[in-house]
Amino acid sequence: MEVDDTSKEESVNTSASGEPTSKYPNMALAQSIHQLTMMVGPEPQLMEGSGIDSVALTKKVRTQVGEDFENPSLYQYLQSTLGWTDDCDLTEMKEKHVLTVKSLEQKVEDAKENAGDMEVLDARFEIARFAAKSLSKDEALNAYDKVLALPKLSSGKKMDALMESARVSSFYGDLKKSLESIEKAQKLADDGGDWDRRNRLKVYSALNKLLTRDVKTTASLLIDCVATFSCTELCSYQDFIVYTILSNILYLPRTEIKEKIIDGPEILSIAADIPVVHKLVQSLYDCDYKTYLHAMVEVHPILMSDRFLQPHAGYLMRELHVLGYKQFLDSYKSVTMESMAASFGISVQYLDLQLSRFIAAGRLTAKIDKFGGVVETNRPDLKNAQYKEMIQKGDLLLNRIQKLGRVVDL
């Protein structure tokens, strides 16, 4: 059985540096599967009114998995998870893949005997990319391990294999293996590597950090890549901008939000495609708190429908609430509950519940005068805070010096 070379060309894209990058596994498909998963079960977390047509999406996913990618193991998993009942012939598909892998392995042997190291590497990558498209997670990861085990492998090709392997792990929700691959790739990038690979690796690292809820690091990595984004194999540019805005809104100062987010030319170019997220950051900057809370309600389905954001939807919504309340209270020494509730378009009772919870958790430096119906802000003294921090660091340093002194004496 001969392998059509056109399949090899179809399995890769060309990166900004001109190097081939695998199109598989298809991360847009992973998003679609996530959305379907959120819409099934006794208590679906994503409702039909969220703007997603579950019937059309199911048909699209079935076609992609069963016909375009011909992935029997993934199709079987979706049958059990989503309750699909159909007569798709997976046995024939599996038998076909066995022959394909056998033929591709023969290409590797032929390259070893009749060609050089580059041809062997290309043949190994071809097997790995076919496995990422049409075989199981374990088979794909094993195929990439064989690529990485090749002798005389350049650091650039190692980074390619590690990033593609990380994407396979991410597609199947294996965060631990994905993090391991990215950490190995990062070590190679620290020792060198071309600009495009290091730039794409930043996005891989950022989305893995997002999954571990290290939102601050995520924000820093993503904002650095806005003008140079080329990692389309991992997520679309639109999704990338959504991640950038939702992470950076929590940490950037107002002046930088204006400069880098609201007036950023790259973000402005697609603002019309993400109106809800853009309205969220614009209303916060304009201190239009009623619109801000309405935008938060509209953002929630976006969080739930995204596989990177959904695990942290509750956390992000809570942080956005704190951000809005803190910005409002920073403008006042004291303000009536009634006035603040009117500004946010909510009831006094709901505001009282929210503020008391955040104040008790130490998230807001304020206190509520229940009798007078007033919120009083307690701005921390910056000099006192710096003094206390200096004392704490000084004590820590002295303890370390004493420990070191005892070691030296021994």
Side-chain angles (χ1 to χ4, degrees), residues 155 159 182-194 197-199 201-202 205 221:
S155 60
M159 286 179 67
I182 293 303
E183 285 173 5
K184 291 176 183 176
Q186 188 61 58
K187 288 178 182 178
L188 293 171
D190 292 341
D191 295 334
D194 64 77
R197 287 188 177 96
R198 284 187 283 112
N199 193 56
L201 184 59
K202 273 189 179 182
S205 299
L221 289 169

Short mmCIF file of all heavy atoms in Angstrom, two decimals, residues 155 159 182-194 197-199 201-202 205 221:
data_model
loop_
_atom_site.label_atom_id
_atom_site.label_comp_id
_atom_site.label_asym_id
_atom_site.label_seq_id
_atom_site.Cartn_x
_atom_site.Cartn_y
_atom_site.Cartn_z
N SER A 155 17.63 21.30 18.06
CA SER A 155 16.78 21.84 19.13
C SER A 155 15.46 22.37 18.56
O SER A 155 14.41 22.26 19.20
CB SER A 155 17.51 22.95 19.89
OG SER A 155 17.86 24.01 19.01
N MET A 159 11.77 21.11 19.66
CA MET A 159 10.71 22.02 20.11
C MET A 159 9.42 21.79 19.34
O MET A 159 8.32 21.79 19.91
CB MET A 159 11.16 23.48 19.98
CG MET A 159 12.19 23.91 21.01
SD MET A 159 12.71 25.63 20.80
CE MET A 159 11.19 26.49 21.20
N ILE A 182 5.74 21.16 27.56
CA ILE A 182 6.02 22.59 27.44
C ILE A 182 7.25 22.97 28.27
O ILE A 182 8.07 23.79 27.84
CB ILE A 182 4.79 23.43 27.86
CG1 ILE A 182 3.65 23.24 26.86
CG2 ILE A 182 5.15 24.90 27.96
CD1 ILE A 182 4.00 23.57 25.43
N GLU A 183 7.39 22.38 29.44
CA GLU A 183 8.57 22.66 30.27
C GLU A 183 9.85 22.22 29.56
O GLU A 183 10.88 22.93 29.60
CB GLU A 183 8.45 21.95 31.61
CG GLU A 183 7.45 22.61 32.56
CD GLU A 183 7.22 21.80 33.82
OE1 GLU A 183 7.92 20.77 33.99
OE2 GLU A 183 6.35 22.19 34.63
N LYS A 184 9.83 21.06 28.91
CA LYS A 184 11.00 20.59 28.16
C LYS A 184 11.30 21.53 26.99
O LYS A 184 12.46 21.86 26.72
CB LYS A 184 10.76 19.18 27.65
CG LYS A 184 10.72 18.11 28.73
CD LYS A 184 10.37 16.75 28.16
CE LYS A 184 10.26 15.70 29.25
NZ LYS A 184 9.84 14.37 28.71
N ALA A 185 10.24 21.96 26.30
CA ALA A 185 10.43 22.88 25.17
C ALA A 185 10.97 24.22 25.66
O ALA A 185 11.80 24.86 24.98
CB ALA A 185 9.11 23.07 24.43
N GLN A 186 10.52 24.66 26.84
CA GLN A 186 10.98 25.95 27.38
C GLN A 186 12.47 25.92 27.70
O GLN A 186 13.18 26.90 27.48
CB GLN A 186 10.17 26.29 28.64
CG GLN A 186 10.42 27.70 29.17
CD GLN A 186 10.05 28.77 28.18
OE1 GLN A 186 8.92 28.85 27.73
NE2 GLN A 186 11.02 29.60 27.80
N LYS A 187 12.95 24.78 28.20
CA LYS A 187 14.38 24.65 28.48
C LYS A 187 15.20 24.78 27.20
O LYS A 187 16.27 25.40 27.19
CB LYS A 187 14.66 23.30 29.15
CG LYS A 187 14.16 23.22 30.60
CD LYS A 187 14.43 21.85 31.20
CE LYS A 187 13.89 21.77 32.63
NZ LYS A 187 14.09 20.42 33.22
N LEU A 188 14.69 24.19 26.12
CA LEU A 188 15.38 24.31 24.83
C LEU A 188 15.35 25.75 24.33
O LEU A 188 16.33 26.25 23.78
CB LEU A 188 14.73 23.38 23.80
CG LEU A 188 14.88 21.87 24.05
CD1 LEU A 188 13.99 21.09 23.10
CD2 LEU A 188 16.34 21.45 23.89
N ALA A 189 14.19 26.42 24.53
CA ALA A 189 14.06 27.81 24.08
C ALA A 189 15.00 28.73 24.86
O ALA A 189 15.54 29.69 24.30
CB ALA A 189 12.62 28.28 24.24
N ASP A 190 15.20 28.43 26.15
CA ASP A 190 16.10 29.25 26.97
C ASP A 190 17.54 29.14 26.50
O ASP A 190 18.33 30.08 26.68
CB ASP A 190 16.01 28.81 28.44
CG ASP A 190 14.66 29.14 29.07
OD1 ASP A 190 13.94 30.00 28.51
OD2 ASP A 190 14.32 28.51 30.10
N ASP A 191 17.89 28.01 25.89
CA ASP A 191 19.25 27.81 25.39
C ASP A 191 19.44 28.34 23.97
O ASP A 191 20.55 28.34 23.44
CB ASP A 191 19.61 26.32 25.41
CG ASP A 191 19.67 25.76 26.82
OD1 ASP A 191 19.92 26.56 27.74
OD2 ASP A 191 19.45 24.55 26.99
N GLY A 192 18.36 28.75 23.34
CA GLY A 192 18.42 29.24 21.97
C GLY A 192 17.10 28.99 21.28
O GLY A 192 16.07 28.82 21.91
N GLY A 193 17.11 28.95 19.97
CA GLY A 193 15.86 28.74 19.24
C GLY A 193 15.45 29.99 18.48
O GLY A 193 15.72 31.11 18.91
N ASP A 194 14.78 29.79 17.35
CA ASP A 194 14.42 30.95 16.53
C ASP A 194 13.24 31.70 17.13
O ASP A 194 12.52 31.22 18.00
CB ASP A 194 14.09 30.50 15.09
CG ASP A 194 12.88 29.59 15.04
OD1 ASP A 194 11.76 30.10 15.14
OD2 ASP A 194 13.07 28.36 14.91
N ARG A 197 9.48 30.11 16.93
CA ARG A 197 9.20 29.01 17.87
C ARG A 197 9.05 29.54 19.30
O ARG A 197 8.16 29.11 20.03
CB ARG A 197 10.30 27.95 17.80
CG ARG A 197 10.26 27.10 16.52
CD ARG A 197 11.25 25.96 16.62
NE ARG A 197 11.19 25.08 15.47
CZ ARG A 197 12.00 25.15 14.41
NH1 ARG A 197 12.93 26.10 14.37
NH2 ARG A 197 11.88 24.30 13.40
N ARG A 198 9.94 30.45 19.69
CA ARG A 198 9.85 31.00 21.04
C ARG A 198 8.56 31.80 21.21
O ARG A 198 7.94 31.78 22.27
CB ARG A 198 11.07 31.86 21.35
CG ARG A 198 12.31 31.04 21.64
CD ARG A 198 13.48 31.86 22.12
NE ARG A 198 14.14 32.56 21.01
CZ ARG A 198 14.14 33.86 20.85
NH1 ARG A 198 13.50 34.64 21.70
NH2 ARG A 198 14.76 34.42 19.83
N ASN A 199 8.15 32.49 20.16
CA ASN A 199 6.93 33.28 20.22
C ASN A 199 5.70 32.38 20.34
O ASN A 199 4.79 32.64 21.13
CB ASN A 199 6.82 34.15 18.96
CG ASN A 199 5.75 35.21 19.08
OD1 ASN A 199 5.78 36.01 20.02
ND2 ASN A 199 4.82 35.23 18.15
N LEU A 201 5.73 29.32 21.50
CA LEU A 201 5.82 28.63 22.79
C LEU A 201 5.24 29.49 23.92
O LEU A 201 4.68 28.96 24.87
CB LEU A 201 7.29 28.30 23.10
CG LEU A 201 7.55 27.49 24.37
CD1 LEU A 201 6.83 26.15 24.34
CD2 LEU A 201 9.05 27.27 24.56
N LYS A 202 5.36 30.81 23.79
CA LYS A 202 4.76 31.70 24.79
C LYS A 202 3.26 31.49 24.88
O LYS A 202 2.68 31.48 25.97
CB LYS A 202 5.03 33.17 24.42
CG LYS A 202 6.33 33.73 24.93
CD LYS A 202 6.37 35.23 24.68
CE LYS A 202 7.67 35.84 25.20
NZ LYS A 202 7.69 37.31 24.99
N SER A 205 2.58 28.16 26.57
CA SER A 205 2.81 28.30 28.00
C SER A 205 1.67 29.07 28.66
O SER A 205 1.20 28.71 29.74
CB SER A 205 4.13 29.02 28.27
OG SER A 205 5.22 28.29 27.75
N LEU A 221 2.17 36.90 29.50
CA LEU A 221 2.64 36.21 28.30
C LEU A 221 1.79 36.57 27.08
O LEU A 221 2.32 36.80 25.98
CB LEU A 221 2.60 34.70 28.53
CG LEU A 221 3.63 34.12 29.49
CD1 LEU A 221 3.30 32.67 29.82
CD2 LEU A 221 5.04 34.21 28.90
#
